[in-house]
Amino acid sequence: MPGDDAPAALVDQLQQYRGRARAVVRPGSTAEVAAVVRLLQRHRVPIVPQGGNTGLAGGATPDASGEAVVLSLARLDRIRAIDLDNDTLTVEAGVLLDAAREAAQQAGRLFPLSLPSGGSCTVGGNLATNAGGTQVLRFGNTRALTLGIEVVTAEGEVWDGLRGLRKDNAGYDLRDLYIGSEGTLGIITAATLKLFPLPAVLQTAILRVRGIAAVIALLRRARQGFGASLTGFEIMSPTIWQLVATHAPEYRLPFPADEHDDVWHVLIETADEGREAEARDRLAEVIVAAVDDGLVDDAVVAESLAQRQAFWRIREHGLGEAQRRDGWNAKHDVSLPISRIPDFVAETGAALTAAFPGIRLFVHGHAGDGNLHVHVGRPLGTGPEYWQAHEAAVRALVQRAVAERGGSICAEHGVGQLKAGVLHEYKPALELALMRRIKAALDPLGLLNPGKVLAR
């Protein structure tokens, strides 16, 4: 196995999946990627594309057969072009997300895709999973931020679709077909991304909200009050707020924790082009009206860049660190119609408690676009063996509850290996059949990332 990084390439970030591979190859250009694909296709060798290996669904991990080659895109790390007149940034697939954001900022622009793993995840991986993040309610998923892509096909041909056009209806939209396909239809090697003006004023606050129904009412009021300026609306359940207080106290919470009090915490952020005083007054008006209506108990508005960053560290790192220290939990990345979030949270929590006494439900996520991260912790006093007996049943309960409310069991993390085996339970048969036809047409030998998205 070549290279010191080979073992890490065979294990996913959460260490749920461990695979084997013939080799890990690290081409340095699109031409080299294409040459590798042609060689492996000729010998009928499966290919597992891999970016930063930060995925949460096992989509970049090979299986245990040892037949596949892992194709790392990490060396495709060039910023190819910035076009300020067209507001576009063209980058290769191995460019780190934070590096792309920094390149845009240095040019006086914003690339709004923002993820906690931005320092290690790659643009290619973001495209492969159609990543979401914290600003989807304003700017959309990765697909909405992408104008063109470059792809190496399953046969090793290179499709140059790096067109920076906002209108192009000349045929089928191949770009959107490849984005979100998790490397099962082709290997994305570069992309032309949309840029936006840098906001002049950012306002950030954390609010104490009385219950999940009040959270959704507050979202409605925030949309009315802020309009397009609302860029972040992140929610945290009482249980996960308490978990941070217990296991990660270095992330200083602006409000005390009490998991027995049905108080949710909401991180709101707005981005404005106008004057700071006007933006601050508008934020105050929305908060005061929400307090008057009994939705909000209290609020803390960030008074400095350091305080704003501290608020975001709680959301982006504190929640994850607290859960890591608490022990492995069953993570679910789901989306729901926003109107169904309150009954989903209440009824699913009750159903889990009834079926699995002592189990703990941690909820956080991007309520502004309906994406919740529903993490289920084992009862206190139990060990890892608890999941051997109950994980499948817990996942089935949560996923059924999502499906019954018109939601999706896969919001932004990808299907990967984690959900490939159950996708047939939640997708119409015709929809799956159409997906298989597309797969057969674009990857007739089935060599690209086998076992991901569509179960074999």
Side-chain angles (χ1 to χ4, degrees):
M1 183 69 63
D4 294 337
D5 62 336
L10 305 181
V11 182
D12 76 304
Q13 178 172 261
L14 297 179
Q15 300 192 9
Q16 298 178 104
Y17 301 99
R18 295 176 180 270
R20 297 171 58 238
R22 293 174 183 260
V24 178
V25 298
R26 293 167 53 86
S29 67
T30 298
E32 290 183 0
V33 172
V36 169
V37 170
R38 288 195 297 271
L39 175 66
L40 296 179
Q41 191 213 36
R42 188 157 60 245
H43 293 280
R44 304 298 194 265
V45 176
I47 304 167
V48 178
Q50 191 174 94
N53 199 22
T54 60
L56 302 177
T61 307
D63 62 23
S65 70
E67 293 298 317
V69 164
V70 174
L71 194 157
S72 169
L73 296 158
R75 291 180 58 215
L76 276 72
D77 60 357
R78 293 188 304 131
I79 306 290
R80 291 192 185 176
I82 298 179
D83 184 339
L84 296 183
D85 290 329
N86 199 39
D87 273 334
T88 55
L89 169 69
T90 300
V91 301
E92 293 182 339
V95 171
L96 297 178
L97 173 59
D98 280 357
R101 287 171 54 84
E102 178 64 22
Q105 186 167 2
Q106 288 182 358
R109 298 292 189 272
L110 170 71
F111 178 59
L113 182 63
S114 179
L115 301 169
S117 58
S120 52
C121 69
T122 63
V123 172
N126 303 149
L127 290 158
T129 58
N130 187 29
T134 58
Q135 299 192 70
V136 171
L137 79 166
R138 167 80 176 270
F139 296 103
N141 291 332
T142 305
R143 181 180 281 117
L145 296 171
T146 306
L147 293 176
I149 56 175
E150 176 185 85
V151 177
V152 173
T153 70
E155 290 79 17
E157 301 170 308
V158 179
W159 171 51
D160 181 358
L162 292 172
R163 294 183 286 272
L165 301 177
R166 287 163 176 81
K167 289 185 177 181
D168 182 5
N169 286 325
Y172 301 126
D173 195 336
L174 300 178
R175 174 200 61 192
D176 283 359
L177 191 59
Y178 284 110
I179 295 174
S181 67
E182 302 185 44
T184 63
L185 303 180
I187 300 172
I188 298 173
T189 52
T192 297
L193 308 169
K194 294 180 187 177
L195 299 180
F196 299 83
L198 281 170
V201 181
L202 291 174
Q203 294 286 327
T204 310
I206 293 182
L207 287 66
R208 279 172 47 95
V209 185
R210 279 287 175 185
I212 187 62
V215 167
I216 302 307
L218 175 64
L219 173 61
R220 184 168 57 249
R221 179 176 290 279
R223 281 177 160 160
Q224 292 169 346
F226 300 124
S229 296
L230 181 64
T231 58
F233 194 94
E234 300 290 305
I235 69 172
M236 294 161 275
S237 68
T239 47
I240 203 162
W241 195 258
Q242 177 67 62
L243 206 68
V244 175
T246 301
H247 291 300
E250 67 270 26
Y251 295 91
R252 299 174 61 183
L253 300 177
F255 296 109
D258 183 355
E259 65 178 306
H260 302 297
D261 193 2
D262 189 24
V263 172
W264 289 64
H265 291 83
V266 177
L267 191 160
I268 286 180
E269 186 157 276
T270 64
D272 289 277
E273 304 302 322
R275 290 180 297 182
E276 183 173 359
E278 294 173 352
R280 197 168 186 83
D281 287 346
R282 185 161 52 160
L283 177 63
E285 289 174 6
V286 170
I287 292 175
V288 168
V291 171
D292 290 344
D293 287 349
L295 303 176
V296 171
D297 278 354
D298 204 350
V300 175
V301 178
E303 299 289 344
S304 64
L305 175 61
Q307 192 173 20
R308 172 183 176 268
Q309 291 173 336
F311 286 177
W312 276 107
R313 278 196 295 272
I314 294 169
R315 166 61 186 89
E316 295 189 331
H317 301 291
L319 305 188
E321 184 60 24
Q323 290 177 85
R324 187 189 68 78
R325 295 174 187 176
D326 184 66
W328 191 89
N329 58 36
K331 294 177 170 57
H332 305 81
D333 163 51
V334 305
S335 62
L336 292 148
I338 293 171
S339 58
R340 301 305 304 272
I341 288 176
D343 69 90
F344 167 80
V345 170
E347 294 173 16
T348 304
L352 283 167
T353 300
F356 311 99
I359 210 159
R360 295 167 296 152
L361 182 64
F362 308 117
V363 180
H364 64 94
H366 326 297
D369 58 51
N371 179 193
L372 298 183
H373 301 302
V374 181
H375 299 172
V376 185
R378 66 177 184 260
L380 295 175
T382 63
E385 67 280 356
Y386 181 88
W387 290 119
Q388 297 175 7
H390 300 297
E391 180 184 356
V394 167
R395 290 195 183 280
L397 191 157
V398 173
Q399 290 169 354
R400 282 198 303 269
V402 170
E404 288 167 358
R405 291 163 176 81
S408 171
I409 65 168
C410 181
E412 64 176 359
H413 292 166
V415 176
Q417 299 179 59
L418 180 63
K419 298 174 184 176
V422 299
L423 205 60
H424 68 280
E425 298 179 29
Y426 304 101
K427 285 281 190 184
L430 178 58
E431 192 170 341
L432 283 171
L434 292 171
M435 291 167 62
R436 292 188 185 281
R437 291 177 204 171
I438 292 170
K439 170 72 170 173
L442 296 180
D443 180 23
L445 297 180
L447 297 178
L448 291 180
N449 220 5
K452 316 300 168 47
V453 183
L454 295 171
R456 285 185 268 190

